Amino acid sequence: EVQLVESGGGVIQPGGSLRLSCAASDFSVSSTYMSWVRQAPGKGLEWVSLIYAGGSTYNADSVKGRFIISRDDSRNTLYLQMNSLRADDTAVYYCATKTENYPHAFDIWGRGTMVTVSS
Amino acid sequence: SYELTQPPSLSVSPGQTATITCSGDKLGDKYAFWYQQKPGQSPVLVIYQDRKRPSGIPERFSGSNSGNTATLTISGTQALDEADYYCQAWDSSTVVFGGGTKLTVL
């Protein structure tokens, strides 16, 4: 079964760094695009970062210069390195991707990992 | 940057038709996608490429996209359809979500 499992969330002080992981099962993270999407408490979905199969990466303006998306093909894992964290980065972070059946969509989502930025 | 606008909330009675709109500049020239999210759960894809339903999504869910507006229609709305709904589109190589619409069935 295609599955994504996020980890690495926690409580971090403003200005700190955190690395999130998203372990994939039953498909290769290098075979398609993968993305991080976050949701602040009581708020809507916000796209954060994307990495294409070819390795190109894109970030939302709100995290540009602070967050880095990457993947380790040997570990079949997606990462999000988050630096210079701010209170408004507090959110549940989901990783998401698509299967072959649904072009351009995000039909596979993890359960999310909570990041709290607070002193 | 590209923006998608949704009404914050919508209320319908059981059995009625719920119509949720998503507006964006020339959105009809892009594909629209819709996700359902219930409290404490991850989003679920309910419509892709404007009007297609993923496997397992009931036929009462349908979509359209033309001009500046994409629409998610839920016919014969049921209590279990109560959720937040988000539209999504691609703008060049980046992803955009609408602000979400809270659908209440009462």
Side-chain angles (χ1 to χ4, degrees):
Chain A
E1 179 190 1
V2 175
Q3 193 174 8
L4 299 171
V5 178
E6 302 94 337
S7 61
V11 180
I12 187 77
Q13 290 189 338
S17 297
L18 205 59
R19 189 178 79 160
L20 305 183
S21 300
C22 172
S25 303
D26 272 8
F27 78 100
S28 171
V29 296
S30 63
S31 66
T32 185
Y33 57 75
M34 297 198 66
S35 191
W36 289 97
V37 178
R38 69 185 180 184
Q39 187 169 36
K43 303 298 184 182
L45 301 176
E46 180 189 13
W47 173 73
V48 175
S49 293
L50 180 83
I51 184 167
Y52 281 96
S56 299
T57 62
Y58 297 84
N59 294 295
D61 288 343
S62 59
V63 305
K64 212 165 277 186
R66 300 188 300 124
F67 290 11
I68 301 171
I69 188 171
S70 65
R71 67 181 189 231
D72 184 330
D73 296 348
S74 65
R75 296 179 182 271
N76 210 30
T77 300
L78 177 74
Y79 299 103
L80 185 67
Q81 177 66 43
M82 303 187 296
N83 302 320
S84 302
L85 282 161
R86 312 185 304 219
D88 62 359
D89 293 318
T90 294
V92 173
Y93 285 74
Y94 297 99
C95 64
T97 188
K98 71 166 182 71
T99 63
E100 290 294 322
N101 299 324
Y102 306 115
H104 312 297
F106 292 101
D107 62 298
I108 303 295
W109 295 71
R111 300 184 72 170
T113 186
M114 182 70 202
V115 173
T116 302
V117 183
S118 174
S119 54
Chain B
S1 60
Y2 194 77
E3 293 184 359
L4 294 174
T5 301
Q6 298 180 236
S9 62
L10 176 68
S11 294
V12 297
S13 299
Q16 284 191 329
T17 296
T19 302
I20 301 173
T21 59
C22 174
S23 299
D25 185 47
K26 296 181 181 178
L27 179 56
D29 292 344
K30 308 175 188 292
Y31 278 132
F33 303 81
W34 290 92
Y35 300 86
Q36 175 194 70
Q37 186 182 35
K38 296 182 178 179
Q41 298 184 17
S42 302
V44 173
L45 178 71
V46 294
I47 293 290
Y48 69 103
Q49 291 184 326
D50 295 339
R51 59 181 63 250
K52 299 177 182 178
R53 277 181 295 105
S55 173
I57 301 301
E59 290 185 9
R60 63 180 181 274
F61 288 86
S62 63
S64 64
N65 185 16
S66 179
N68 295 321
T69 304
T71 302
L72 173 69
T73 302
I74 310 172
S75 304
T77 306
Q78 300 181 10
L80 56 82
D81 299 327
E82 186 164 287
D84 294 325
Y85 291 85
Y86 297 90
C87 60
Q88 176 250 309
W90 291 81
D91 180 43
S92 297
S93 298
T94 62
V95 178
V96 183
F97 286 97
T101 299
K102 182 176 182 61
L103 176 65
T104 302
V105 183
L106 42 68

